[in-house]
Amino acid sequence: MPASLNTEDFSDLIDANARYAESFGMAGFDGIANAGVAIVTCMDSRIDPLGLLGLKPGDAKIFRNPGGRVTPSALEAIVLGVHLLNVDRVLIIPHTKCAMGKMSEEELRKAVGDSAGQDASWQGFHVVADQIDALRQDVAALRTHPLIADRAKIGGFRYDVDTGLLTQHF
Ligand SMILES: [Zn+2]
């Protein structure tokens, strides 16, 4: 075991993983999206992407980032999803009370800088000035993408973290 490997830091989670593996039922599953669904959403811990759509592990490809934006990495994931992983519907799901939509980049840098006790002005954050307009742009980016447009239905939604409900905007 390498000297730098500190298993104590993660012991509670590793113990939980051992219990998880005892009843693991997905051996041999090839990793496609069984329900044909891909989801782009925020990293926010209030969001259970599978649960809120009535799905279960194996059903969907999920791409998350701060804000739930269609970034170049998200596009890469969706292209792979629609061509190789059975995806034919894509939901883009930002959410209410998202930090990326509530604060300016300057405010986020200050908050992180205060937490770090050092300058964070060099760190970029992809803030969302107008969440619905950003969603409109992200939906359009997928609907016009030459490798995605003809292969999948694209929907733009917002998730309400206080009610658990989705509202479709596009
Ligand atoms: Zn968020």
Side-chain angles (χ1 to χ4, degrees), residues 42 44 67 95 98-99:
C42 185
D44 196 292
H95 65 97
C98 184

Side-chain angles (χ1 to χ4, degrees), residues 42-44 46-47 65-68 94-101 131:
C42 185
M43 63 188 278
D44 196 292
R46 291 169 288 194
I47 301 171
N65 59 29
H95 65 97
T96 60
K97 298 186 175 176
C98 184
M100 304 307 287
Q131 198 175 44

